[in-house]
Amino acid sequence: MPVITGINTESRIPYEGRVNYDVHFFVWAPGKIGKMKMILDVEAQKNFYPGYPIVTRGVFYTTRMISAQLDTEFRIPNYDDIKKVYSIWICMNSPERVGNTITEFGMNKREIVGKSGDMGRYNLLGVIIVGLPKELAGENDGSKLHRLLGTLFSSHLSAKEKGEILSEEFKIPMEPDLERRINIMCNLSEAIVDEAIERGWKEGLEKGLEKGLEKGLEKGMEQLVANFLHNDNHINQAVKMLGVPEKMVFSVAQREGIKVVS
């Protein structure tokens, strides 16, 4: 059985709506008695101030992952079969007080009167916030995890620079498939979309806000498709990963002179 297994990133529960996780999977980890199964959600958060506290959303995600286990991981009244869940938030461009920090939120027992002793499993959820600084953490700042994640998510480092850091500092062999994936990550940086939207706003002020923004978004998506195809010329992959129409992929490929395959 694989140690890490991906599961559906969409959660639909009647009367509770829909939740979409960035990365959703379960792992088998060493426990007190044999292996222990845990369910994790990993979220990449670009904006540390999205209009609500990130930890609050993380608490909602963890409770949702627990309630979704009913009739899949456990059945009433076997509540002790509930698997522990974690929601991990990788926060880029964090404010100075949060950069280079890792904070965990969980359930703790507080005995108010007397000593009750063991009363069963209760610490079933955890929210972990990893704060990445705006500038790449130095080798001696924060932790190696901050340096590694900061390298992968940096919009200022080229694919070559990322590969060198991963290879030299973290001893990660730069195999062709990994290099290709890093190139895709670099080229699909949200900075490209942000710049396109910004250009759209500026053009909108001059030629009509709605039309200008729409044009800027369209140009940004076409650039994303072009960057993707230069690294992976599979039409199906582009449509699946970028969520764009197949017609747009063909159009961009023809314009860029890229020979695509299904």
Side-chain angles (χ1 to χ4, degrees):
M1 182 178 295
V3 175
I4 300 177
T5 303
I7 51 181
N8 194 356
T9 57
E10 180 180 88
S11 171
R12 286 180 181 268
I13 298 178
Y15 310 109
E16 291 189 21
R18 181 183 71 182
V19 170
N20 289 307
Y21 305 106
D22 282 358
V23 182
H24 197 207
F25 59 99
F26 68 79
V27 300
W28 290 97
K32 292 182 179 180
I33 304 176
K35 291 184 177 180
M36 174 179 64
K37 184 178 181 180
M38 297 188 296
I39 300 174
L40 287 82
D41 150 56
V42 179
E43 301 287 327
Q45 182 70 22
K46 188 185 70 169
N47 182 8
F48 192 79
Y49 298 108
Y52 53 81
I54 291 174
V55 64
T56 307
R57 185 177 173 188
V59 170
F60 170 70
Y61 275 27
T62 53
T63 53
R64 178 60 171 262
M65 286 191 288
I66 287 179
S67 67
Q69 294 181 43
L70 180 61
D71 293 332
T72 56
E73 297 292 340
F74 80 99
R75 296 183 185 277
I76 295 174
N78 300 319
Y79 294 101
D80 202 43
D81 290 336
I82 294 174
K83 306 303 184 291
K84 186 167 185 176
V85 301
Y86 281 100
S87 184
I88 303 172
W89 294 74
I90 301 172
C91 300
M92 293 162 271
N93 301 312
S94 299
E96 187 174 350
R97 65 180 178 84
V98 179
N100 288 323
T101 64
I102 299 177
T103 309
E104 180 178 3
F105 302 83
M107 295 182 65
N108 297 306
K109 177 183 176 183
R110 184 165 67 96
E111 295 178 311
I112 299 175
V113 178
K115 299 294 183 181
S116 59
D118 184 13
M119 298 183 68
R121 297 172 64 226
Y122 61 89
N123 189 16
L124 294 173
L125 60 85
V127 179
I128 298 176
I129 296 180
V130 181
L132 300 182
K134 294 182 179 180
E135 300 295 332
L136 179 63
E139 293 186 51
N140 299 318
D141 297 331
S143 69
K144 288 186 176 181
L145 178 63
H146 289 92
R147 177 77 170 170
L148 174 62
L149 294 176
T151 298
L152 289 172
F153 288 108
S154 174
S155 59
H156 303 294
L157 294 176
S158 66
K160 181 180 179 181
E161 290 172 322
K162 290 183 179 184
E164 290 175 351
I165 293 176
L166 295 176
S167 176
E168 294 173 8
E169 292 186 25
F170 298 96
K171 310 305 178 185
I172 298 176
M174 287 293 102
E175 298 176 351
D177 184 59
L178 180 57
E179 289 184 353
R180 181 180 65 84
R181 292 175 183 272
I182 292 175
N183 272 313
I184 291 175
M185 280 186 64
C186 289
N187 290 327
L188 298 185
S189 169
E190 289 190 18
I192 297 174
V193 178
D194 292 342
E195 290 172 6
I197 293 175
E198 184 178 350
R199 289 197 302 270
W201 276 105
K202 290 179 180 179
E203 186 174 338
L205 293 174
E206 298 174 359
K207 300 181 180 179
L209 184 59
E210 185 176 346
K211 184 177 180 181
L213 180 56
E214 183 179 344
K215 185 176 181 180
L217 286 169
E218 184 179 351
K219 286 184 177 179
M221 288 308 300
E222 288 180 350
Q223 185 61 52
L224 285 175
V225 173
N227 289 336
F228 184 95
L229 292 176
H230 279 295
N231 291 281
D232 188 335
N233 65 338
H234 289 78
I235 299 173
N236 294 337
Q237 281 291 96
V239 172
K240 180 180 178 181
M241 292 187 67
L242 303 180
V244 297
E246 189 175 283
K247 183 179 179 180
M248 176 184 284
V249 179
F250 274 114
S251 175
V252 173
Q254 185 176 15
R255 186 190 70 195
E256 298 288 322
I258 302 172
K259 185 178 180 181
V260 293
V261 295
S262 298

